[in-house]
CSV table of all heavy atoms in Angstrom, one decimal:
chain,number,residue,atom,x,y,z
A,10,GLU,N,143.2,167.4,41.8
A,10,GLU,CA,144.1,166.2,41.8
A,10,GLU,C,145.0,166.2,40.6
A,10,GLU,O,144.6,166.8,39.6
A,10,GLU,CB,143.2,164.9,41.8
A,10,GLU,CG,142.4,164.7,43.0
A,10,GLU,CD,141.6,163.4,42.9
A,10,GLU,OE1,141.9,162.5,42.0
A,10,GLU,OE2,140.7,163.2,43.8
A,16,HIS,N,139.8,175.2,34.1
A,16,HIS,CA,139.8,176.5,33.5
A,16,HIS,C,139.9,177.6,34.6
A,16,HIS,O,139.1,177.6,35.5
A,16,HIS,CB,138.5,176.8,32.7
A,16,HIS,CG,138.4,178.1,32.0
A,16,HIS,ND1,139.1,178.4,30.9
A,16,HIS,CD2,137.8,179.3,32.4
A,16,HIS,CE1,138.9,179.6,30.6
A,16,HIS,NE2,138.1,180.2,31.5
A,19,ILE,N,144.2,184.0,35.9
A,19,ILE,CA,145.4,184.3,36.7
A,19,ILE,C,145.0,185.6,37.5
A,19,ILE,O,144.8,186.6,36.9
A,19,ILE,CB,146.6,184.5,35.9
A,19,ILE,CG1,146.9,183.3,35.1
A,19,ILE,CG2,147.8,184.9,36.8
A,19,ILE,CD1,147.1,182.0,35.9
A,23,GLY,N,153.1,185.7,41.6
A,23,GLY,CA,153.9,185.3,42.8
A,23,GLY,C,155.3,186.0,42.8
A,23,GLY,O,155.6,186.7,41.8
A,25,GLU,N,158.1,184.8,42.3
A,25,GLU,CA,159.0,184.3,41.3
A,25,GLU,C,158.5,184.6,39.9
A,25,GLU,O,159.0,184.3,38.9
A,25,GLU,CB,159.2,182.8,41.4
A,25,GLU,CG,159.7,182.3,42.7
A,25,GLU,CD,161.1,182.6,42.9
A,25,GLU,OE1,161.9,182.5,42.0
A,25,GLU,OE2,161.5,183.0,44.1
A,30,ALA,N,146.4,181.3,40.4
A,30,ALA,CA,145.0,181.1,40.2
A,30,ALA,C,144.4,180.4,41.4
A,30,ALA,O,145.1,179.9,42.2
A,30,ALA,CB,144.7,180.4,38.9
A,32,VAL,N,141.3,177.6,42.6
A,32,VAL,CA,140.2,176.6,42.3
A,32,VAL,C,139.5,176.3,43.7
A,32,VAL,O,140.1,175.8,44.6
A,32,VAL,CB,140.7,175.3,41.7
A,32,VAL,CG1,139.6,174.3,41.6
A,32,VAL,CG2,141.4,175.6,40.4
A,43,GLU,N,150.3,185.4,32.6
A,43,GLU,CA,150.3,186.9,32.9
A,43,GLU,C,149.0,187.2,33.7
A,43,GLU,O,148.0,186.5,33.5
A,43,GLU,CB,150.4,187.7,31.6
A,43,GLU,CG,151.7,187.4,30.9
A,43,GLU,CD,152.0,188.4,29.8
A,43,GLU,OE1,151.4,189.5,29.9
A,43,GLU,OE2,152.9,188.1,29.0
A,44,LEU,N,149.0,188.3,34.4
A,44,LEU,CA,147.9,188.7,35.2
A,44,LEU,C,146.7,188.8,34.3
A,44,LEU,O,146.8,189.4,33.2
A,44,LEU,CB,148.3,190.0,35.8
A,44,LEU,CG,147.4,190.5,37.0
A,44,LEU,CD1,147.4,189.5,38.1
A,44,LEU,CD2,147.9,191.8,37.5
A,49,ASP,N,143.5,177.1,30.5
A,49,ASP,CA,143.2,175.8,31.0
A,49,ASP,C,144.5,175.2,31.5
A,49,ASP,O,145.5,175.3,30.7
A,49,ASP,CB,142.6,174.9,29.9
A,49,ASP,CG,141.2,175.3,29.5
A,49,ASP,OD1,140.5,176.0,30.2
A,49,ASP,OD2,140.7,174.8,28.4
A,63,GLU,N,150.2,173.2,34.6
A,63,GLU,CA,150.8,173.6,33.4
A,63,GLU,C,149.7,174.0,32.4
A,63,GLU,O,148.7,173.4,32.3
A,63,GLU,CB,151.6,172.4,32.8
A,63,GLU,CG,152.3,172.7,31.5
A,63,GLU,CD,153.0,171.5,30.9
A,63,GLU,OE1,153.1,170.5,31.6
A,63,GLU,OE2,153.4,171.6,29.7
A,66,GLU,N,146.0,175.2,27.4
A,66,GLU,CA,145.3,176.0,26.4
A,66,GLU,C,145.1,177.5,26.9
A,66,GLU,O,144.8,177.6,28.1
A,66,GLU,CB,143.9,175.5,26.0
A,66,GLU,CG,143.2,176.2,24.9
A,66,GLU,CD,141.9,175.5,24.5
A,66,GLU,OE1,141.6,174.4,24.9
A,66,GLU,OE2,141.2,176.2,23.7
Side-chain angles (χ1 to χ4, degrees):
E10 293 183 13
H16 179 78
I19 304 305
E25 304 288 321
V32 175
E43 300 196 15
L44 197 58
D49 289 344
E63 178 182 351
E66 186 173 351

